[in-house]
Amino acid sequence: MKTNPKHGFKQTTLDFGQRQHKRPRLSPEQEQGSLIEDEEPKQPGLENAQGKLKGKEVAEKEQEQEQDEKAQEEAEPSSTGGSKQSPDKKPNNGLPQASPNSLQPMGVLQPTTNMSTQGTFRVTDKVGDLFDAPPNTVLIHACNCIGSWGGGIARAFRDRYPDAYRIYNAHCKRSLPERLAGTALLIAPRPDAEKQHYIGCVFTSKRFGRARDTPAMILQATAPAMLDLMRQIAAEKENGEPIGEVRMCRINSGLFSVPWQQSKRVIERLQVDGEDVSRDVELPWEIVAYNPE
Ligand SMILES: Nc1ncnc2c1ncn2[C@@H]1O[C@H](COP(=O)(O)OP(=O)(O)OC[C@H]2O[C@H](OP(=O)(O)O)[C@H](O)[C@@H]2O)[C@@H](O)[C@H]1O
């Protein structure tokens, strides 16, 4: 698949198993931890976010925030607590390294704009089966960086899309978990596949099961991973891939044990600044999150 160097996607390819990607850059606000605003509500990023809201919206957001804080306390009594530091661990609790050509989430809430290159994402909850999506839909799910789709919805992905599983597995084997966390992998359907679904893997935890990352780390990785995926989607759309809708399951909310509302809010606070995405490409600003019940 061709790529478009002018937008910094030189290394991007949808060819099975060949994708390499750049690591998203984080803004200074993020590096101070503003992605996990629920944990530290007085951070500048959150104040900015609230500053963009007015009246009733502010009250609603504050109420949501209180609920989330409670949920987070319940789910994560020592969320900032010590996970092991790997030798090549970056500063910032393992956040990905800076890259000059990636989208920068700013932690600022703004209405979605008409410009295709700038705005925030809207996450809409629906009940239904994620796999019933029409052709050319991207189906997003959270992945560990070990190469296992062993449980939960990942197991269903493995059963339905065995070729995609092999690509995901090989991708993990080529890299260290510490490098993959906070990135994404977009896998195109085989031309002869029955369901022409793209699969968006967001690497939100380095490992799985009892060795999975803490909820705080998973949320922290979710932001750059989602942005990386959106950047890849934009690049591939520009290259002519017929990508349509973007749907996801309630990522992180099952085996990864992170309350859905927290992941949802992280995604809705991401902002694309427009510098790295072609103005010719309409990003999928609406993401529909499916839950089976
Ligand atoms: N057909 C369907 N349509 C729509 N939604 C569906 C569905 N079937 C289930 N759901 C929902 O999908 C959400 C996510 O719940 P999950 O537990 O799966 O994922 P997660 O993101 O918390 O965790 C990731 C780790 O789980 C895996 O398993 P292993 O670690 O390999 O064992 C991976 O490999 C990772 O490591 C929950 O809301 C489920 O109700």
Side-chain angles (χ1 to χ4, degrees), residues 20-238:
Q20 299 289 322
H21 48 255
K22 295 191 172 189
R23 304 180 66 74
R25 181 171 61 183
L26 297 168
S27 65
E29 289 84 350
Q30 284 182 301
E31 298 201 353
Q32 288 164 14
S34 64
L35 288 174
I36 310 201
E37 289 142 344
D38 292 332
E39 284 190 296
E40 299 177 51
K42 291 191 178 162
Q43 288 164 9
L46 183 60
E47 284 165 13
N48 279 348
Q50 289 179 339
K52 296 275 176 187
L53 298 172
K54 291 176 189 166
K56 189 174 163 207
E57 276 180 276
V58 170
E60 284 171 357
K61 288 286 162 194
E62 284 172 347
Q63 199 177 356
E64 270 181 32
Q65 184 185 323
E66 280 171 21
Q67 287 169 354
D68 281 2
E69 281 165 3
K70 277 187 202 151
Q72 180 132 351
E73 278 166 20
E74 283 165 20
E76 184 193 340
S78 59
S79 61
T80 55
S83 62
K84 280 187 227 160
Q85 298 284 311
S86 63
D88 64 342
K89 190 146 181 103
K90 322 291 182 301
N92 269 330
N93 201 18
L95 289 170
Q97 271 183 323
S99 147
N101 290 309
S102 54
L103 308 178
Q104 294 181 54
M106 302 302 287
V108 175
L109 272 173
Q110 286 184 348
T112 299
T113 69
N114 289 329
M115 290 176 62
S116 64
T117 55
Q118 186 173 335
T120 53
F121 298 102
R122 184 170 64 252
V123 180
T124 307
D125 288 300
K126 283 194 182 166
V127 173
D129 188 342
L130 180 69
F131 299 110
D132 285 344
N136 300 324
T137 301
V138 181
L139 309 182
I140 303 174
H141 71 127
C143 296
N144 61 67
C145 305
I146 302 299
S148 161
W149 284 356
I153 199 169
R155 179 67 204 216
F157 270 96
R158 181 178 174 167
D159 293 343
R160 285 173 169 78
Y161 313 96
D163 293 314
Y165 169 69
R166 281 190 279 277
I167 292 166
Y168 153 78
N169 180 266
H171 184 76
C172 291
K173 297 289 181 248
R174 280 196 297 269
S175 194
L176 290 173
E178 285 71 16
R179 294 190 63 80
L180 279 185
T183 69
L185 174 68
L186 179 62
I187 303 172
R190 286 175 63 107
D192 59 348
E194 185 190 342
K195 289 195 170 183
Q196 289 291 300
H197 288 158
Y198 294 80
I199 297 175
C201 306
V202 283
F203 293 101
T204 61
S205 171
K206 292 186 278 303
R207 296 177 179 83
F208 62 94
R210 292 172 64 185
R212 68 182 180 274
D213 288 342
T214 63
M217 292 164 79
I218 289 171
L219 288 171
Q220 199 158 21
T222 296
M226 284 296 297
L227 283 174
D228 193 23
L229 182 62
M230 291 301 166
R231 189 164 52 85
Q232 291 178 37
I233 288 172
E236 299 307 339
K237 277 169 75 92
E238 188 168 27

Side-chain angles (χ1 to χ4, degrees), residues 35 219 222-223 261-270:
L35 288 174
L219 288 171
T222 296
Q261 290 304 323
Q262 293 179 17
S263 298
K264 181 179 177 182
R265 292 187 67 203
V266 164
I267 298 164
E268 289 187 323
R269 285 180 180 175
L270 301 176

